[in-house]
Structure formats: structure tokens, C-alpha cells
mmCIF file of all heavy atoms in Angstrom:
data_model
loop_
_atom_site.group_PDB
_atom_site.id
_atom_site.type_symbol
_atom_site.label_atom_id
_atom_site.label_comp_id
_atom_site.label_asym_id
_atom_site.label_seq_id
_atom_site.Cartn_x
_atom_site.Cartn_y
_atom_site.Cartn_z
ATOM 1 N N HIS A 1304 -7.868 -7.961 -13.022
ATOM 2 C CA HIS A 1304 -7.158 -8.808 -12.067
ATOM 3 C C HIS A 1304 -6.453 -7.954 -11.017
ATOM 4 O O HIS A 1304 -5.863 -6.912 -11.343
ATOM 5 C CB HIS A 1304 -6.140 -9.697 -12.783
ATOM 6 C CG HIS A 1304 -6.743 -10.623 -13.775
ATOM 7 N ND1 HIS A 1304 -6.171 -10.923 -14.993
ATOM 8 C CD2 HIS A 1304 -7.914 -11.324 -13.738
ATOM 9 C CE1 HIS A 1304 -6.934 -11.768 -15.651
ATOM 10 N NE2 HIS A 1304 -8.000 -12.021 -14.904
ATOM 11 N N TYR A 1305 -6.481 -8.414 -9.791
ATOM 12 C CA TYR A 1305 -5.919 -7.692 -8.650
ATOM 13 C C TYR A 1305 -4.402 -7.575 -8.769
ATOM 14 O O TYR A 1305 -3.705 -8.561 -9.007
ATOM 15 C CB TYR A 1305 -6.291 -8.444 -7.372
ATOM 16 C CG TYR A 1305 -5.709 -7.910 -6.087
ATOM 17 C CD1 TYR A 1305 -6.396 -6.964 -5.339
ATOM 18 C CD2 TYR A 1305 -4.487 -8.376 -5.598
ATOM 19 C CE1 TYR A 1305 -5.876 -6.483 -4.144
ATOM 20 C CE2 TYR A 1305 -3.960 -7.892 -4.401
ATOM 21 C CZ TYR A 1305 -4.669 -6.955 -3.690
ATOM 22 O OH TYR A 1305 -4.148 -6.485 -2.504
ATOM 23 N N LEU A 1306 -3.893 -6.375 -8.591
ATOM 24 C CA LEU A 1306 -2.454 -6.135 -8.524
ATOM 25 C C LEU A 1306 -2.002 -5.728 -7.128
ATOM 26 O O LEU A 1306 -0.882 -6.034 -6.721
ATOM 27 C CB LEU A 1306 -2.053 -5.039 -9.516
ATOM 28 C CG LEU A 1306 -2.255 -5.353 -11.008
ATOM 29 C CD1 LEU A 1306 -1.978 -4.117 -11.849
ATOM 30 C CD2 LEU A 1306 -1.358 -6.505 -11.444
ATOM 31 N N GLY A 1307 -2.863 -5.028 -6.412
ATOM 32 C CA GLY A 1307 -2.512 -4.598 -5.067
ATOM 33 C C GLY A 1307 -3.356 -3.413 -4.645
ATOM 34 O O GLY A 1307 -4.260 -2.974 -5.363
ATOM 35 N N THR A 1308 -3.039 -2.890 -3.462
ATOM 36 C CA THR A 1308 -3.737 -1.705 -2.965
ATOM 37 C C THR A 1308 -2.729 -0.584 -2.731
ATOM 38 O O THR A 1308 -1.532 -0.816 -2.531
ATOM 39 C CB THR A 1308 -4.497 -1.997 -1.661
ATOM 40 O OG1 THR A 1308 -3.565 -2.497 -0.676
ATOM 41 C CG2 THR A 1308 -5.597 -3.016 -1.886
ATOM 42 N N GLY A 1309 -3.239 0.634 -2.778
ATOM 43 C CA GLY A 1309 -2.379 1.788 -2.573
ATOM 44 C C GLY A 1309 -3.218 3.037 -2.485
ATOM 45 O O GLY A 1309 -4.351 2.998 -1.991
ATOM 46 N N TYR A 1310 -2.687 4.119 -2.987
ATOM 47 C CA TYR A 1310 -3.436 5.369 -2.940
ATOM 48 C C TYR A 1310 -3.218 6.147 -4.233
ATOM 49 O O TYR A 1310 -2.281 5.887 -4.995
ATOM 50 C CB TYR A 1310 -3.068 6.193 -1.712
ATOM 51 C CG TYR A 1310 -1.588 6.505 -1.549
ATOM 52 C CD1 TYR A 1310 -0.986 7.523 -2.290
ATOM 53 C CD2 TYR A 1310 -0.811 5.820 -0.621
ATOM 54 C CE1 TYR A 1310 0.351 7.830 -2.130
ATOM 55 C CE2 TYR A 1310 0.538 6.117 -0.461
ATOM 56 C CZ TYR A 1310 1.110 7.126 -1.209
ATOM 57 O OH TYR A 1310 2.437 7.418 -1.056
ATOM 58 N N VAL A 1311 -4.104 7.112 -4.471
ATOM 59 C CA VAL A 1311 -4.140 7.811 -5.741
ATOM 60 C C VAL A 1311 -4.071 9.319 -5.529
ATOM 61 O O VAL A 1311 -4.487 9.827 -4.478
ATOM 62 C CB VAL A 1311 -5.433 7.430 -6.525
ATOM 63 C CG1 VAL A 1311 -6.656 7.957 -5.802
ATOM 64 C CG2 VAL A 1311 -5.403 7.944 -7.954
ATOM 65 N N ASN A 1312 -3.514 10.006 -6.526
ATOM 66 C CA ASN A 1312 -3.596 11.465 -6.582
ATOM 67 C C ASN A 1312 -3.813 11.850 -8.038
ATOM 68 O O ASN A 1312 -2.871 11.816 -8.846
ATOM 69 C CB ASN A 1312 -2.330 12.131 -6.050
ATOM 70 C CG ASN A 1312 -2.482 13.646 -5.943
ATOM 71 O OD1 ASN A 1312 -3.394 14.227 -6.525
ATOM 72 N ND2 ASN A 1312 -1.583 14.285 -5.210
ATOM 73 N N PRO A 1313 -5.026 12.199 -8.414
ATOM 74 C CA PRO A 1313 -5.326 12.471 -9.824
ATOM 75 C C PRO A 1313 -4.609 13.696 -10.375
ATOM 76 O O PRO A 1313 -4.570 13.892 -11.589
ATOM 77 C CB PRO A 1313 -6.845 12.689 -9.816
ATOM 78 C CG PRO A 1313 -7.171 13.125 -8.427
ATOM 79 C CD PRO A 1313 -6.212 12.377 -7.549
ATOM 80 N N HIS A 1314 -4.036 14.530 -9.516
ATOM 81 C CA HIS A 1314 -3.391 15.756 -9.963
ATOM 82 C C HIS A 1314 -1.876 15.612 -10.133
ATOM 83 O O HIS A 1314 -1.206 16.592 -10.472
ATOM 84 C CB HIS A 1314 -3.679 16.888 -8.982
ATOM 85 C CG HIS A 1314 -5.139 17.078 -8.695
ATOM 86 N ND1 HIS A 1314 -6.078 17.198 -9.691
ATOM 87 C CD2 HIS A 1314 -5.818 17.143 -7.518
ATOM 88 C CE1 HIS A 1314 -7.281 17.343 -9.151
ATOM 89 N NE2 HIS A 1314 -7.147 17.310 -7.838
ATOM 90 N N SER A 1315 -1.346 14.420 -9.895
ATOM 91 C CA SER A 1315 0.090 14.200 -9.958
ATOM 92 C C SER A 1315 0.444 13.308 -11.144
ATOM 93 O O SER A 1315 -0.336 12.439 -11.530
ATOM 94 C CB SER A 1315 0.580 13.551 -8.659
ATOM 95 O OG SER A 1315 1.953 13.230 -8.735
ATOM 96 N N LEU A 1316 1.640 13.526 -11.718
ATOM 97 C CA LEU A 1316 2.101 12.667 -12.806
ATOM 98 C C LEU A 1316 2.184 11.222 -12.338
ATOM 99 O O LEU A 1316 1.751 10.305 -13.047
ATOM 100 C CB LEU A 1316 3.466 13.139 -13.310
ATOM 101 C CG LEU A 1316 4.115 12.275 -14.396
ATOM 102 C CD1 LEU A 1316 3.264 12.245 -15.654
ATOM 103 C CD2 LEU A 1316 5.524 12.776 -14.700
ATOM 104 N N ILE A 1317 2.752 11.014 -11.149
ATOM 105 C CA ILE A 1317 2.680 9.692 -10.516
ATOM 106 C C ILE A 1317 1.329 9.656 -9.824
ATOM 107 O O ILE A 1317 1.169 10.132 -8.702
ATOM 108 C CB ILE A 1317 3.820 9.479 -9.507
ATOM 109 C CG1 ILE A 1317 5.180 9.663 -10.186
ATOM 110 C CG2 ILE A 1317 3.734 8.079 -8.888
ATOM 111 C CD1 ILE A 1317 6.353 9.618 -9.223
ATOM 112 N N CYS A 1318 0.334 9.109 -10.514
ATOM 113 C CA CYS A 1318 -1.040 9.264 -10.037
ATOM 114 C C CYS A 1318 -1.433 8.213 -9.003
ATOM 115 O O CYS A 1318 -2.472 8.351 -8.360
ATOM 116 C CB CYS A 1318 -2.022 9.245 -11.208
ATOM 117 S SG CYS A 1318 -2.217 7.632 -11.967
ATOM 118 N N ALA A 1319 -0.640 7.163 -8.855
ATOM 119 C CA ALA A 1319 -0.946 6.156 -7.836
ATOM 120 C C ALA A 1319 0.336 5.474 -7.400
ATOM 121 O O ALA A 1319 1.298 5.372 -8.170
ATOM 122 C CB ALA A 1319 -1.947 5.134 -8.363
ATOM 123 N N ARG A 1320 0.331 5.004 -6.161
ATOM 124 C CA ARG A 1320 1.471 4.271 -5.611
ATOM 125 C C ARG A 1320 0.953 2.994 -4.981
ATOM 126 O O ARG A 1320 0.068 3.024 -4.131
ATOM 127 C CB ARG A 1320 2.230 5.129 -4.600
ATOM 128 C CG ARG A 1320 2.803 6.391 -5.265
ATOM 129 C CD ARG A 1320 3.467 7.322 -4.277
ATOM 130 N NE ARG A 1320 3.669 8.638 -4.872
ATOM 131 C CZ ARG A 1320 4.851 9.122 -5.267
ATOM 132 N NH1 ARG A 1320 5.931 8.392 -5.138
ATOM 133 N NH2 ARG A 1320 4.937 10.326 -5.795
ATOM 134 N N LEU A 1321 1.529 1.897 -5.410
ATOM 135 C CA LEU A 1321 1.148 0.589 -4.884
ATOM 136 C C LEU A 1321 1.884 0.366 -3.569
ATOM 137 O O LEU A 1321 3.103 0.515 -3.510
ATOM 138 C CB LEU A 1321 1.500 -0.492 -5.903
ATOM 139 C CG LEU A 1321 0.987 -1.911 -5.644
ATOM 140 C CD1 LEU A 1321 0.833 -2.656 -6.976
ATOM 141 C CD2 LEU A 1321 1.914 -2.696 -4.734
ATOM 142 N N VAL A 1322 1.143 0.018 -2.529
ATOM 143 C CA VAL A 1322 1.753 -0.154 -1.219
ATOM 144 C C VAL A 1322 1.718 -1.603 -0.754
ATOM 145 O O VAL A 1322 2.618 -2.076 -0.075
ATOM 146 C CB VAL A 1322 1.071 0.757 -0.168
ATOM 147 C CG1 VAL A 1322 1.778 0.651 1.169
ATOM 148 C CG2 VAL A 1322 1.063 2.206 -0.634
ATOM 149 N N SER A 1323 0.694 -2.355 -1.137
ATOM 150 C CA SER A 1323 0.597 -3.750 -0.710
ATOM 151 C C SER A 1323 0.115 -4.622 -1.863
ATOM 152 O O SER A 1323 -0.830 -4.266 -2.572
ATOM 153 C CB SER A 1323 -0.361 -3.887 0.473
ATOM 154 O OG SER A 1323 -0.545 -5.256 0.821
ATOM 155 N N ARG A 1324 0.742 -5.782 -2.027
ATOM 156 C CA ARG A 1324 0.304 -6.766 -3.019
ATOM 157 C C ARG A 1324 -0.489 -7.901 -2.369
ATOM 158 O O ARG A 1324 -0.951 -8.807 -3.052
ATOM 159 C CB ARG A 1324 1.518 -7.346 -3.751
ATOM 160 C CG ARG A 1324 2.365 -6.299 -4.456
ATOM 161 C CD ARG A 1324 3.606 -6.928 -5.096
ATOM 162 N NE ARG A 1324 4.532 -5.894 -5.553
ATOM 163 C CZ ARG A 1324 4.493 -5.333 -6.763
ATOM 164 N NH1 ARG A 1324 3.572 -5.726 -7.625
ATOM 165 N NH2 ARG A 1324 5.367 -4.398 -7.103
ATOM 166 N N ASP A 1325 -0.608 -7.865 -1.054
ATOM 167 C CA ASP A 1325 -1.256 -8.926 -0.282
ATOM 168 C C ASP A 1325 -2.709 -8.532 0.018
ATOM 169 O O ASP A 1325 -2.949 -7.532 0.699
ATOM 170 C CB ASP A 1325 -0.488 -9.145 1.019
ATOM 171 C CG ASP A 1325 -0.914 -10.400 1.766
ATOM 172 O OD1 ASP A 1325 -2.054 -10.864 1.556
ATOM 173 O OD2 ASP A 1325 -0.109 -10.907 2.571
ATOM 174 N N ARG A 1326 -3.652 -9.325 -0.466
ATOM 175 C CA ARG A 1326 -5.065 -9.031 -0.216
ATOM 176 C C ARG A 1326 -5.392 -8.994 1.277
ATOM 177 O O ARG A 1326 -6.301 -8.287 1.710
ATOM 178 C CB ARG A 1326 -5.949 -10.095 -0.881
ATOM 179 C CG ARG A 1326 -5.941 -10.075 -2.400
ATOM 180 C CD ARG A 1326 -6.825 -11.182 -2.929
ATOM 181 N NE ARG A 1326 -6.814 -11.278 -4.376
ATOM 182 C CZ ARG A 1326 -7.629 -10.612 -5.176
ATOM 183 N NH1 ARG A 1326 -8.542 -9.799 -4.659
ATOM 184 N NH2 ARG A 1326 -7.560 -10.752 -6.492
ATOM 185 N N ARG A 1327 -4.661 -9.777 2.041
ATOM 186 C CA ARG A 1327 -4.945 -9.870 3.487
ATOM 187 C C ARG A 1327 -4.477 -8.630 4.245
ATOM 188 O O ARG A 1327 -4.897 -8.408 5.390
ATOM 189 C CB ARG A 1327 -4.265 -11.108 4.077
ATOM 190 C CG ARG A 1327 -4.723 -12.427 3.480
ATOM 191 C CD ARG A 1327 -3.800 -13.549 3.906
ATOM 192 N NE ARG A 1327 -2.431 -13.297 3.454
ATOM 193 C CZ ARG A 1327 -1.386 -14.044 3.802
ATOM 194 N NH1 ARG A 1327 -1.538 -15.070 4.636
ATOM 195 N NH2 ARG A 1327 -0.179 -13.760 3.338
ATOM 196 N N HIS A 1328 -3.607 -7.856 3.629
ATOM 197 C CA HIS A 1328 -3.037 -6.689 4.311
ATOM 198 C C HIS A 1328 -3.109 -5.471 3.394
ATOM 199 O O HIS A 1328 -2.103 -5.046 2.818
ATOM 200 C CB HIS A 1328 -1.591 -6.960 4.721
ATOM 201 C CG HIS A 1328 -1.427 -8.157 5.596
ATOM 202 N ND1 HIS A 1328 -1.844 -8.170 6.909
ATOM 203 C CD2 HIS A 1328 -0.928 -9.391 5.346
ATOM 204 C CE1 HIS A 1328 -1.589 -9.361 7.444
ATOM 205 N NE2 HIS A 1328 -1.041 -10.122 6.507
ATOM 206 N N PRO A 1329 -4.298 -4.889 3.257
ATOM 207 C CA PRO A 1329 -4.456 -3.723 2.391
ATOM 208 C C PRO A 1329 -3.819 -2.481 3.012
ATOM 209 O O PRO A 1329 -3.455 -2.454 4.192
ATOM 210 C CB PRO A 1329 -5.975 -3.573 2.283
ATOM 211 C CG PRO A 1329 -6.490 -4.137 3.572
ATOM 212 C CD PRO A 1329 -5.565 -5.280 3.909
ATOM 213 N N TRP A 1330 -3.704 -1.460 2.186
ATOM 214 C CA TRP A 1330 -3.157 -0.187 2.622
ATOM 215 C C TRP A 1330 -3.985 0.388 3.765
ATOM 216 O O TRP A 1330 -5.206 0.498 3.677
ATOM 217 C CB TRP A 1330 -3.141 0.778 1.440
ATOM 218 C CG TRP A 1330 -2.912 2.226 1.770
ATOM 219 C CD1 TRP A 1330 -3.706 3.267 1.407
ATOM 220 C CD2 TRP A 1330 -1.822 2.791 2.494
ATOM 221 N NE1 TRP A 1330 -3.183 4.449 1.854
ATOM 222 C CE2 TRP A 1330 -2.025 4.198 2.538
ATOM 223 C CE3 TRP A 1330 -0.694 2.256 3.126
ATOM 224 C CZ2 TRP A 1330 -1.149 5.060 3.168
ATOM 225 C CZ3 TRP A 1330 0.171 3.124 3.765
ATOM 226 C CH2 TRP A 1330 -0.037 4.501 3.776
ATOM 227 N N GLY A 1331 -3.313 0.713 4.876
ATOM 228 C CA GLY A 1331 -3.990 1.277 6.033
ATOM 229 C C GLY A 1331 -3.077 1.271 7.241
ATOM 230 O O GLY A 1331 -1.896 0.896 7.160
ATOM 231 N N GLU A 1332 -3.614 1.660 8.391
ATOM 232 C CA GLU A 1332 -2.784 1.830 9.585
ATOM 233 C C GLU A 1332 -2.126 0.536 10.026
ATOM 234 O O GLU A 1332 -0.958 0.528 10.424
ATOM 235 C CB GLU A 1332 -3.635 2.395 10.732
ATOM 236 C CG GLU A 1332 -2.840 2.644 11.998
ATOM 237 C CD GLU A 1332 -3.683 3.221 13.115
ATOM 238 O OE1 GLU A 1332 -4.744 3.816 12.827
ATOM 239 O OE2 GLU A 1332 -3.277 3.068 14.288
ATOM 240 N N SER A 1333 -2.847 -0.587 9.978
ATOM 241 C CA SER A 1333 -2.250 -1.845 10.430
ATOM 242 C C SER A 1333 -1.069 -2.236 9.554
ATOM 243 O O SER A 1333 -0.073 -2.796 10.050
ATOM 244 C CB SER A 1333 -3.298 -2.963 10.436
ATOM 245 O OG SER A 1333 -3.797 -3.199 9.128
ATOM 246 N N LEU A 1334 -1.148 -1.942 8.257
ATOM 247 C CA LEU A 1334 -0.022 -2.229 7.382
ATOM 248 C C LEU A 1334 1.161 -1.330 7.718
ATOM 249 O O LEU A 1334 2.322 -1.779 7.701
ATOM 250 C CB LEU A 1334 -0.427 -2.037 5.920
ATOM 251 C CG LEU A 1334 0.677 -2.323 4.892
ATOM 252 C CD1 LEU A 1334 1.047 -3.797 4.905
ATOM 253 C CD2 LEU A 1334 0.244 -1.896 3.496
ATOM 254 N N ILE A 1335 0.893 -0.070 8.050
ATOM 255 C CA ILE A 1335 1.971 0.836 8.439
ATOM 256 C C ILE A 1335 2.686 0.311 9.680
ATOM 257 O O ILE A 1335 3.920 0.314 9.752
ATOM 258 C CB ILE A 1335 1.425 2.255 8.692
ATOM 259 C CG1 ILE A 1335 0.892 2.860 7.391
ATOM 260 C CG2 ILE A 1335 2.510 3.152 9.279
ATOM 261 C CD1 ILE A 1335 0.228 4.216 7.566
ATOM 262 N N VAL A 1336 1.930 -0.177 10.653
ATOM 263 C CA VAL A 1336 2.531 -0.747 11.862
ATOM 264 C C VAL A 1336 3.464 -1.887 11.490
ATOM 265 O O VAL A 1336 4.608 -1.971 11.971
ATOM 266 C CB VAL A 1336 1.440 -1.231 12.843
ATOM 267 C CG1 VAL A 1336 2.064 -2.054 13.973
ATOM 268 C CG2 VAL A 1336 0.674 -0.049 13.421
ATOM 269 N N HIS A 1337 3.003 -2.773 10.617
ATOM 270 C CA HIS A 1337 3.830 -3.916 10.209
ATOM 271 C C HIS A 1337 5.093 -3.456 9.497
ATOM 272 O O HIS A 1337 6.206 -3.933 9.814
ATOM 273 C CB HIS A 1337 3.013 -4.832 9.293
ATOM 274 C CG HIS A 1337 3.824 -5.929 8.669
ATOM 275 N ND1 HIS A 1337 4.348 -6.966 9.401
ATOM 276 C CD2 HIS A 1337 4.215 -6.122 7.374
ATOM 277 C CE1 HIS A 1337 5.026 -7.775 8.601
ATOM 278 N NE2 HIS A 1337 4.972 -7.280 7.370
ATOM 279 N N ARG A 1338 4.960 -2.520 8.575
ATOM 280 C CA ARG A 1338 6.133 -2.062 7.825
ATOM 281 C C ARG A 1338 7.121 -1.339 8.748
ATOM 282 O O ARG A 1338 8.347 -1.443 8.561
ATOM 283 C CB ARG A 1338 5.682 -1.139 6.684
ATOM 284 C CG ARG A 1338 4.838 -1.858 5.621
ATOM 285 C CD ARG A 1338 5.700 -2.578 4.616
ATOM 286 N NE ARG A 1338 4.924 -3.509 3.811
ATOM 287 C CZ ARG A 1338 4.214 -3.190 2.737
ATOM 288 N NH1 ARG A 1338 4.154 -1.922 2.355
ATOM 289 N NH2 ARG A 1338 3.578 -4.117 2.053
ATOM 290 N N LEU A 1339 6.619 -0.601 9.721
ATOM 291 C CA LEU A 1339 7.509 0.056 10.678
ATOM 292 C C LEU A 1339 8.290 -0.969 11.495
ATOM 293 O O LEU A 1339 9.492 -0.795 11.749
ATOM 294 C CB LEU A 1339 6.712 0.962 11.616
ATOM 295 C CG LEU A 1339 6.150 2.254 11.030
ATOM 296 C CD1 LEU A 1339 5.301 2.979 12.076
ATOM 297 C CD2 LEU A 1339 7.259 3.167 10.537
ATOM 298 N N LYS A 1340 7.628 -2.045 11.894
ATOM 299 C CA LYS A 1340 8.318 -3.091 12.654
ATOM 300 C C LYS A 1340 9.408 -3.748 11.824
ATOM 301 O O LYS A 1340 10.507 -4.038 12.330
ATOM 302 C CB LYS A 1340 7.309 -4.129 13.146
ATOM 303 C CG LYS A 1340 6.378 -3.630 14.238
ATOM 304 C CD LYS A 1340 5.391 -4.722 14.663
ATOM 305 C CE LYS A 1340 4.506 -4.246 15.795
ATOM 306 N NZ LYS A 1340 3.506 -5.287 16.199
ATOM 307 N N VAL A 1341 9.128 -3.984 10.556
ATOM 308 C CA VAL A 1341 10.126 -4.581 9.659
ATOM 309 C C VAL A 1341 11.309 -3.641 9.484
ATOM 310 O O VAL A 1341 12.479 -4.055 9.536
ATOM 311 C CB VAL A 1341 9.479 -4.923 8.302
ATOM 312 C CG1 VAL A 1341 10.544 -5.362 7.292
ATOM 313 C CG2 VAL A 1341 8.432 -6.017 8.464
ATOM 314 N N ALA A 1342 11.024 -2.361 9.281
ATOM 315 C CA ALA A 1342 12.088 -1.372 9.119
ATOM 316 C C ALA A 1342 12.923 -1.242 10.391
ATOM 317 O O ALA A 1342 14.160 -1.161 10.338
ATOM 318 C CB ALA A 1342 11.480 -0.019 8.742
ATOM 319 N N LEU A 1343 12.257 -1.229 11.528
ATOM 320 C CA LEU A 1343 12.955 -1.104 12.809
ATOM 321 C C LEU A 1343 13.881 -2.298 13.047
ATOM 322 O O LEU A 1343 15.020 -2.132 13.501
ATOM 323 C CB LEU A 1343 11.938 -0.986 13.940
ATOM 324 C CG LEU A 1343 12.506 -0.880 15.363
ATOM 325 C CD1 LEU A 1343 13.353 0.372 15.506
ATOM 326 C CD2 LEU A 1343 11.372 -0.880 16.388
#
């Protein structure tokens, strides 16, 4: 079952970080733009 999208690093103890739980807005540049606008 889908939990979200993010990125992985197999060499790190924290091997993955979840960045988005929304299927419509997966991890990527457009999501970064949105999060920057929210933060700003």
C-alpha cells in the first residue's frame, strides 16, 4: 500500500526520507517550488 514518495540512500542508517504523501505531487522540482512558497 502506498505511503508516499521520497528518496533513498542505501549507505545511511536513515535509508529513506518521505517527502510527499500526496500521489498527485510526488517528490521532485515542482514539489520543491510548492514547499518553498509555503515556507516563504
Side-chain angles (χ1 to χ4, degrees):
H1304 299 141
Y1305 175 91
L1306 296 173
T1308 57
Y1310 55 79
V1311 67
N1312 187 344
H1314 307 309
S1315 175
L1316 176 62
I1317 303 174
C1318 71
R1320 298 175 195 253
L1321 189 153
V1322 184
S1323 175
R1324 302 177 190 271
D1325 191 337
R1326 292 179 183 271
R1327 299 168 300 173
H1328 303 288
W1330 166 234
E1332 182 179 338
S1333 62
L1334 181 66
I1335 294 175
V1336 169
H1337 172 68
R1338 295 277 166 83
L1339 288 176
K1340 290 179 177 178
V1341 172
L1343 179 62

